[in-house]
Amino acid sequence: MNKTNILLTICLVITIINAAAFIYTQYYYRAALRGKSSAILPVKAPVNSDIFMPATIDFAGEAAPIHRLDVEEALKKELIVNTYLHSHTTQILKNAPRVFAIIEPILKANNIPDDFKYLAVIESRLNPLIVSPAGAASTWQIIKATGKELGLEITNDIDERYHLEKSTQAAADYLKKAYAKFGSWTLAAASYNAGISFLNKQMKIQKEQNYYNLLLGEETERYVYRILALKQIMTNSEKYNFQINISYPAEPTETVTVDTTVKSWTDFALQQGITYKTLKRFNPWLRKTELHNPKHKTYHIVIPKNKQLYK
């Protein structure tokens, strides 16, 4: 037998073996599907993809009527969405202690319920640099015109929407105004998304005074449910399979007063023993590399006490 015939014979044998193996596996796979040989198929443990639902829940002391089918389903939807956006929610849980340490005392000083910190969570995921397509900026997602109305300085050099303390105070001022209008913290929260005028108009058209009875745009209809969902997840994280071993605490800082023009924030940062990058981390409201300050307004620049953490 020559080499050509030997090669042809080997190829034929391999082909027959592969064909036999294919027929064998197909036969037993189909048999398994018919229940005749279940042992050859791996059995996967069932995965519970449903979500834990609380028996009761409230926003700012105002009970959500989750005994209603529509309310229960709307809340469950937001719980599912935010539980299975696992990486995003994990980052929120890790960042929350640092941000809440600043937000909570300001809300308390303004008699705003503590639950409104979760409004900041759903607005920005506590990302201080986030900007929406509509131009709403930073943690409280304040648009430029509203920010100016609320007393924030917004110029080429300074944008206090990125100043967590001052933007929180601005948000508190808005919420107090909204609560005075509606007499409901739930409606005040909804108005933060839809606007006081729009919400008031819809309440008149629909002859309703209860957020849960109002037909609104999808974003506003989901808005309070999203706040409730994040409150529930963040205060009961273990029930939603979040194990946060290390969170980010508030950092000790000190302030340096500036009341003159600053030609270079880089040089200023180096004089403080930090980099320009670190300066911007603690003061994202500084929008340019310099400061024009002809009226000698006083600004308080935040510097980390433990500078070695950034070297």
Side-chain angles (χ1 to χ4, degrees):
M1 183 179 291
N2 58 35
K3 291 183 178 180
T4 301
N5 290 335
I6 292 173
L7 289 173
L8 288 173
T9 301
I10 292 172
C11 290
L12 179 61
V13 171
I14 291 172
T15 300
I16 293 171
I17 292 172
N18 286 336
F22 176 78
I23 293 170
Y24 176 85
T25 56
Q26 288 297 306
Y27 171 80
Y28 280 97
Y29 177 75
R30 291 174 182 174
L33 293 180
R34 294 193 301 267
K36 295 182 179 179
S37 183
S38 58
I40 70 169
L41 286 180
V43 178
K44 294 183 178 180
V47 177
N48 181 10
S49 59
D50 210 339
I51 208 76
F52 173 79
M53 277 289 291
T56 61
I57 193 168
D58 70 274
F59 175 73
E62 299 173 4
I66 58 174
H67 62 277
R68 287 172 39 172
L69 180 62
D70 57 336
V71 174
E72 179 190 17
E73 291 182 354
L75 177 58
K76 181 172 284 190
K77 174 181 178 179
E78 301 305 328
L79 285 170
I80 292 171
V81 168
N82 288 282
T83 297
Y84 292 104
L85 278 174
H86 203 273
S87 61
H88 293 287
T89 306
T90 297
Q91 287 299 322
I92 289 171
L93 288 164
K94 293 179 79 67
N95 285 320
R98 177 177 294 164
V99 180
F100 285 176
I102 296 173
I103 289 177
E104 289 172 346
I106 298 173
L107 294 177
K108 184 176 181 180
N110 285 272
N111 295 316
I112 303 294
D114 188 67
D115 280 355
F116 275 94
K117 65 191 180 188
Y118 302 110
L119 185 150
V121 171
I122 70 160
E123 282 286 343
S124 63
R125 296 188 179 277
L126 304 182
N127 178 352
L129 301 179
I130 193 169
V131 180
S132 77
S138 199
T139 306
W140 289 95
Q141 287 289 278
I142 300 172
I143 63 174
K144 185 179 291 186
T146 301
K148 289 182 177 181
E149 289 174 5
L150 294 169
L152 296 177
E153 181 180 352
I154 303 174
T155 65
N156 289 333
D157 292 354
I158 301 294
D159 191 338
E160 290 182 337
R161 293 178 297 170
Y162 295 90
H163 192 299
L164 185 54
E165 289 89 341
K166 292 187 176 182
S167 63
T168 301
Q169 182 60 55
D173 291 340
Y174 175 90
L175 293 167
K176 285 188 286 187
K177 179 182 177 182
Y179 182 73
K181 173 67 177 177
F182 298 114
S184 161
W185 288 118
T186 304
L187 288 170
S191 78
Y192 196 90
N193 176 259
I196 291 175
S197 296
F198 175 81
L199 191 60
N200 188 52
K201 179 181 177 180
Q202 291 302 315
M203 290 170 69
K204 289 181 178 178
I205 291 172
Q206 300 180 40
K207 299 180 180 179
E208 287 291 350
Q209 302 295 315
N210 188 321
Y211 168 81
Y212 299 100
N213 292 337
L214 285 166
L215 178 65
L216 302 165
E218 180 182 5
E219 185 177 352
T220 308
E221 281 199 23
R222 294 179 62 181
Y223 196 73
V224 172
Y225 294 106
R226 290 174 63 204
I227 297 173
L228 290 170
L230 265 300
K231 174 186 176 180
Q232 173 66 14
I233 292 169
M234 294 179 74
T235 55
N236 301 276
S237 57
E238 71 287 347
K239 292 182 179 178
Y240 299 90
N241 297 317
F242 289 99
Q243 302 293 331
I244 307 300
N245 296 322
I246 300 175
S247 58
Y248 305 141
E251 297 181 75
T253 60
E254 55 192 13
T255 59
V256 178
T257 300
V258 171
D259 59 5
T260 62
T261 293
V262 177
K263 292 183 179 180
S264 169
W265 283 120
T266 297
D267 291 341
F268 175 90
L270 293 174
Q271 291 168 8
Q272 303 302 320
I274 59 175
T275 64
Y276 175 68
K277 179 180 180 180
T278 301
L279 178 72
K280 289 281 287 183
R281 172 185 171 92
F282 286 86
N283 304 274
W285 50 276
L286 300 174
R287 305 310 291 171
K288 295 291 185 180
T289 57
E290 71 279 341
L291 173 67
H292 299 94
N293 192 11
K295 296 183 179 180
H296 296 279
K297 183 175 179 178
T298 299
Y299 296 96
H300 300 284
I301 311 302
V302 178
I303 306 294
K305 282 188 176 182
N306 191 347
K307 299 172 185 178
Q308 291 303 315
L309 292 175
Y310 295 93
K311 293 183 179 180

